[in-house]
Amino acid sequence: MEVAALSPTSRPAPLLPTAPAHRRRLLPPRFVSGRRLRPSPRHQGFGCVRDGWAQRHSARKTGFFVTSSSSASLEPATQEVGTAVPGEWSGDAIRRQFLEFYAARGHKILPSSSLVPDDPTVFLTIAGMLQFKPIFLGKEPRRVPCATTSQKCIRTNDIENVGRTARHQTFFEMLGNFSFGDYFKKEATAWAWELATKEYGLPAERLWISVFEDDDEAFDIWHNEVGVPKEHIKRMGAEDNFWTSGATGPCGPCSEIYYDFYPERGSSDADLGDDSRFIEFYNLVFMQYNKKDDGSLEPLKQKNIDTGMGLERMARILQNVPNNYETDLIFPIIEKAASLALVPYAKADEAMKTNLKIIGDHMRAVVYLISDGVLPSNIGRGYVVRRLIRRVVRMGRLIGIRGDGHGNLEGAFLPSLAEVVISLSTQIDPDVESRRKSIIGELQREELRFVQTLERGEKLLDELLDEALLSAGNNGNKHSLSGKDVFLLYDTYGFPVEITAEIAGERGVTVDMMGFSIEMENQRKQSQAAHNVVKLSVGNEIEIVKSIPDTEFLGYDSLFATAVVKGLLVNGNPVNKVSEGSEVEILLDRTPFYAESGGQVGDNGFLYLNGGEDRKQTTVIEINDVQKSLGNIFVHKGTIRQGSVEVGNEIDASVDPKLRRGAKAHHTATHLLQSALKSVVGSETSQAGSLVAFDRLRFDFNFHRSLSEEELMKIESLVNQWIGNATHLETKVMALQDAKNAGAIAMFGEKYGEEVGIS
């Protein structure tokens, strides 16, 4: 079936590539309960169906009417591809249209990955491409030729700009389409243009394009094939339009699409970096080179496409609002916060609006982080959650929220805001709703604890002011509070710098804001350097993986197997032969050895090479660890105790049965512990990690308080009871999703393959 023809436009239609046969089908229309939602015919402009948000914008914007569901007319869905209907561009509709557009062109719609990435080099998930990094590197085979996602992302390096600019956020969604060697520049650019102008209905004359300064191919495609005027295409340098993954690795030029809010200013001397006029909403990365150690570029054999469209940015454009925060993706949270402060958003001054925007943004971030298992703490990712929660609490107090906002001064107001975030989460992450109780409980406990911390901060501020007054009086200097002290109050105690300055001023003490800004900038740089880089590299291992298939794991059924040596590494470098006394890493085509995963250590045992007619053991290799690397290849680490081994040798692999039994027992014990824990204290607790070794186990879990002696005794009694009853244990191997459907609980933070073993 052919894709329906595009609707005519006032300008010549751009030349678009014909979709390959495997991508051509009708684009699924957008539905609301099986029927199309249209605005009432007597009104013009965009629309949305969230009542509170709608009333505000219909009152403020001319030519921008938003109708409630009660006044909307419902008609059968008859529209085909390419005829955008005004009035439907809620955030959910924008997301859905993006995914369906690319699904109609052969892309597999894949779910968002967790905000906690599998990649140890990345602190939090900061980009849509992160889950595909192993494929881009060639470490894992592609499972589909191309994919599309809506990825949850967190970035905290520009946290001080949140609420103060129109576009900075900590939590955002990145819509992306990805090609793993399937299509390249011509299709990527044409489809991006078609999506923006035909599906979303953006006026072509308002769109600008940036290309890498040396990328003549991209310039020609945009101008000659897509039809963008030359004066709307800007060549930019490597800093803006050349994407690199690190010092070495996959890289390539990129092209960005900008929306112009003020086209009347003309094309002469237009600066795409002018945030007051332009917003970049779609970035296309043409991953076509490998950057070598010497800085030179060599073409990749498989050229890839990695794109990102900011959902909140597109919502801002289509909903015709002045910033990302006032879209229907965030504004309902802001409205709720304003109602708790008893000040309507429309009547708030600019300072209060800034604080409300911070609250709206941060609440989304903390709800999704907690849902993904990141709980407030003083280290790592937990500190990010704690810091964001404390900022929300501080902002709430600044705008006048007291207690829970409903008259209970001893209560917490974050749960009320979280309820709004959760209500908006259905199309982003359906798991959030199922975790409502634990999210609400965690936020309530953290807020109430922090209120006490704020009170301690007030006491410390009084002491610091006393010291400043005394020191200045003795030395005849000005009364001043140092920038380091102000930052200490802000960062450690969460004390608002605005309140610090106000209270200090009342006592005749100035605040060293320059010193405070320096401390803040130092922290920002450290945060950006540590947490906002996706590291990719290409080394010797890439050459190895090209010729070695995934390892076939036989260890669920047997502790012994005959296998062929497919690769040998010494100090990470490939070799053909290794002799007695050497440390070696061995890659086999099949193995009974379990590779470290899910908290369980890798098996120990021996590899034997038999030679001669009598099949005597000529080589003995002691294996002391097994890791899964380079995709799904098992790396057997050990020492050659006798003889030598070469690539291509057939060997006998034998797992130490005593050690395996110990690991199995401790693995089962972790499941018993989790079941007993949930039975005693409730389902809101969850496993956070474990160690399953041959001689011991460690079980980590999340809970908001310490367990009582009575609870510990009940848990111990339950586990011993189940063991004493000799309950039958059966192990099955099945697809990961089938295991979840059967009730298996995946441990947070662990990476599972396509198939898993369950007991």
Side-chain angles (χ1 to χ4, degrees):
M1 184 178 291
E2 297 295 326
V3 177
L6 299 176
S7 59
T9 62
S10 58
R11 54 175 303 185
L15 298 175
L16 301 175
T18 302
H22 73 279
R23 296 201 191 95
R24 297 201 296 265
R25 66 177 176 84
L26 280 177
L27 181 66
R30 299 180 292 276
F31 289 93
V32 177
S33 301
R35 305 174 72 192
R36 181 168 303 284
L37 178 65
R38 296 179 186 269
S40 177
R42 67 181 184 276
H43 299 297
Q44 302 296 321
F46 298 100
C48 181
V49 294
R50 284 201 172 92
D51 292 342
W53 182 81
Q55 292 166 6
R56 176 177 64 91
H57 285 278
S58 63
R60 189 180 67 182
K61 295 283 183 181
T62 57
F64 180 82
F65 180 84
V66 186
T67 179
S68 70
S69 56
S70 61
S71 63
S73 60
L74 293 171
E75 301 172 11
T78 57
Q79 185 196 21
E80 295 181 329
V81 174
T83 55
V85 177
E88 293 186 7
W89 295 125
S90 66
D92 288 345
I94 296 169
R95 181 193 307 106
R96 184 169 60 250
Q97 184 65 10
F98 184 97
L99 297 176
E100 289 177 350
F101 178 85
Y102 282 104
R105 288 149 182 80
H107 293 63
K108 176 72 172 178
I109 299 178
L110 297 177
S112 171
S113 59
S114 170
L115 287 171
V116 180
D118 294 323
D119 190 329
T121 69
V122 186
F123 192 63
L124 291 165
T125 297
I126 61 173
M129 59 77 63
L130 197 57
Q131 64 172 299
F132 304 116
K133 171 181 166 181
I135 300 174
F136 286 138
L137 283 174
K139 291 184 176 182
E140 289 185 4
R142 70 178 193 179
R143 294 183 175 87
V144 293
C146 42
T148 183
T149 65
S150 179
Q151 175 63 53
K152 302 175 297 182
C153 298
I154 291 280
R155 292 182 186 175
T156 59
N157 55 301
D158 287 320
I159 191 172
E160 295 307 316
N161 289 324
V162 171
R164 292 174 170 82
T165 70
R167 60 181 178 84
H168 282 96
Q169 297 163 247
T170 55
F171 176 88
F172 59 95
E173 284 185 78
M174 189 65 78
L175 305 172
N177 57 287
F178 308 90
S179 169
F180 313 114
D182 185 57
Y183 62 85
F184 202 49
K185 289 183 185 179
K186 185 175 181 179
E187 295 89 345
T189 54
W191 286 337
W193 185 262
E194 179 185 355
L195 176 66
T197 60
K198 304 298 182 183
E199 299 303 320
Y200 292 134
L202 299 182
E205 61 272 15
R206 282 182 176 250
L207 301 185
W208 291 64
I209 306 296
S210 70
V211 298
F212 178 54
E213 56 191 357
D214 296 332
D215 193 354
D216 295 332
E217 180 186 11
F219 189 99
D220 290 341
I221 291 173
W222 281 115
H223 177 57
N224 296 325
E225 299 193 36
V226 177
V228 180
K230 287 184 178 180
E231 58 269 21
H232 273 217
I233 306 176
K234 293 281 188 179
R235 293 181 183 266
M236 301 177 75
E239 182 178 350
D240 296 300
N241 279 72
F242 195 92
W243 181 85
T244 59
S245 57
T248 61
C251 59
C254 59
S255 190
E256 297 166 326
I257 308 179
Y258 292 77
Y259 184 81
D260 185 357
F261 291 105
Y262 298 100
E264 64 273 13
R265 295 181 183 176
S267 302
S268 179
D269 299 324
D271 178 11
L272 296 183
D274 180 1
D275 283 353
S276 68
R277 176 177 177 180
F278 296 101
I279 185 170
E280 176 223 328
F281 65 87
Y282 206 171
N283 184 19
L284 316 178
V285 176
F286 310 127
M287 201 180 296
Q288 64 189 92
Y289 300 112
N290 173 39
K291 188 175 183 181
K292 302 170 70 174
D293 289 332
D294 61 2
S296 62
L297 302 177
E298 62 178 3
L300 290 172
K301 293 181 180 179
Q302 174 178 298
K303 296 180 179 180
N304 304 304
I305 289 293
D306 161 25
T307 80
M309 174 188 283
L311 175 61
E312 292 81 4
R313 295 187 181 194
M314 181 56 81
R316 173 193 172 188
I317 296 169
L318 291 176
Q319 294 173 11
N320 194 25
V321 292
N323 53 69
N324 294 0
Y325 310 100
E326 295 183 46
T327 66
D328 70 329
L329 295 164
I330 305 175
F331 192 73
I333 312 165
I334 292 175
E335 276 191 314
K336 182 63 177 179
S339 71
L340 295 177
L342 303 178
V343 179
Y345 182 82
K347 295 183 178 180
D349 59 24
E350 288 306 311
M352 184 175 183
K353 285 183 177 179
T354 296
N355 293 334
L356 285 166
K357 292 172 186 175
I358 293 172
I359 290 172
D361 168 83
H362 287 9
M363 280 304 302
R364 290 210 303 168
V366 298
V367 165
Y368 285 101
L369 280 167
I370 293 173
S371 177
D372 277 355
V374 185
L375 301 183
S377 71
N378 287 328
I379 58 173
R381 300 181 182 99
Y383 180 71
V384 173
V385 177
R386 174 158 287 170
R387 184 184 179 199
L388 293 175
I389 290 174
R390 290 184 171 187
R391 290 195 94 216
V392 175
V393 176
R394 286 176 15 233
M395 296 303 129
R397 290 167 70 93
L398 279 175
I399 65 175
I401 300 177
R402 295 295 177 261
D404 65 357
H406 298 291
N408 179 9
L409 297 181
E410 302 300 322
F413 71 91
L414 296 188
S416 294
L417 300 181
E419 292 284 2
V420 180
V421 179
I422 295 170
S423 72
L424 298 172
S425 70
T426 307
Q427 301 302 318
I428 305 173
D429 182 354
D431 290 334
V432 175
E433 172 62 42
S434 65
R435 295 164 184 157
R436 175 189 295 266
K437 183 178 178 181
S438 60
I439 293 169
I440 297 297
E442 195 62 47
L443 287 170
Q444 183 178 38
R445 287 186 291 271
E446 184 68 13
E447 179 181 349
L448 294 179
R449 280 195 295 261
F450 179 51
V451 168
Q452 297 176 348
T453 302
L454 270 176
E455 292 172 354
R456 291 197 296 270
E458 290 172 347
K459 294 178 180 178
L460 176 60
L461 175 57
D462 284 339
E463 294 173 3
L464 292 172
L465 291 174
D466 288 341
E467 292 176 7
L469 289 167
L470 179 61
S471 174
N474 292 337
N475 300 318
N477 299 324
K478 281 186 176 182
H479 307 308
S480 180
L481 197 61
S482 73
K484 287 188 176 182
D485 285 339
V486 177
F487 183 76
L488 171 69
L489 286 161
Y490 171 84
D491 193 54
T492 303
Y493 293 91
F495 207 75
V497 63
E498 297 89 349
I499 292 181
T500 297
E502 182 179 348
I503 295 175
E506 291 174 355
R507 298 188 59 180
V509 178
T510 61
V511 171
D512 179 12
M513 293 304 298
M514 180 64 72
F516 173 77
S517 297
I518 292 173
E519 296 293 329
M520 287 293 295
E521 179 64 15
N522 290 338
Q523 185 195 63
R524 189 193 68 80
K525 288 180 178 179
Q526 292 170 3
S527 175
Q528 186 174 32
H531 306 319
N532 203 38
V533 176
V534 179
K535 297 180 180 179
L536 301 178
S537 63
V538 175
N540 293 333
E541 57 193 33
I542 296 303
E543 297 303 318
I544 299 170
V545 76
K546 289 178 180 177
S547 59
I548 296 178
D550 288 349
T551 308
E552 180 185 2
F553 177 60
L554 308 171
Y556 287 129
D557 302 315
S558 176
L559 298 183
F560 177 86
T562 300
V564 176
V565 177
K566 291 294 187 179
L568 297 169
L569 296 95
V570 174
N571 296 325
N573 297 309
V575 295
N576 288 320
K577 182 177 181 179
V578 186
S579 301
E580 185 174 322
S582 299
E583 301 291 327
V584 64
E585 295 179 343
I586 303 176
L587 313 180
L588 305 175
D589 64 338
R590 58 209 302 262
T591 183
F593 283 79
Y594 182 84
E596 182 176 320
S597 180
Q600 181 171 324
V601 299
D603 280 329
N604 287 189
F606 290 90
L607 304 181
Y608 302 105
L609 179 63
N610 301 320
E613 295 182 0
D614 55 359
R615 300 284 293 171
K616 288 185 178 179
Q617 293 176 355
T618 59
T619 298
V620 178
I621 306 169
E622 182 178 4
I623 300 299
N624 52 43
D625 188 22
V626 184
Q627 297 288 327
K628 190 180 293 184
S629 184
L630 307 172
N632 198 36
I633 295 176
F634 288 36
V635 181
H636 304 73
K637 300 183 179 184
T639 305
I640 301 182
R641 299 301 184 190
Q642 174 184 317
S644 62
V645 62
E646 296 183 48
V647 174
N649 283 156
E650 185 176 86
I651 57 95
D652 293 329
S654 180
V655 174
D656 187 318
K658 181 179 178 181
L659 296 181
R660 171 68 81 83
R661 283 195 298 272
K664 286 178 65 176
H666 291 123
H667 189 121
T668 301
T670 62
H671 293 292
L672 296 177
L673 273 170
Q674 172 143 283
S675 295
L677 186 66
K678 287 183 177 293
S679 296
V680 172
V681 301
S683 60
E684 59 183 293
T685 183
S686 61
Q687 186 175 354
S690 67
L691 169 66
V692 178
F694 306 123
D695 58 345
R696 68 191 188 281
L697 70 87
R698 188 194 73 245
F699 185 87
D700 307 328
F701 64 94
N702 294 319
F703 201 51
H704 61 272
R705 59 173 174 79
S706 301
L707 299 184
S708 67
E709 287 295 329
E710 181 181 0
E711 288 169 332
L712 290 171
M713 290 177 64
K714 285 183 179 179
I715 292 170
E716 182 178 348
S717 177
L718 268 177
V719 172
N720 287 333
Q721 178 185 330
W722 291 331
I723 295 173
N725 291 340
T727 303
H728 176 68
L729 178 67
E730 182 181 0
T731 300
K732 295 181 179 180
V733 178
M734 61 177 65
L736 175 60
Q737 189 56 51
D738 291 340
K740 291 181 177 180
N741 294 340
I745 300 174
M747 192 191 79
F748 170 76
E750 290 296 340
K751 184 177 183 180
Y752 296 90
E754 293 279 328
E755 291 190 337
V756 294
I758 66 169
S759 300

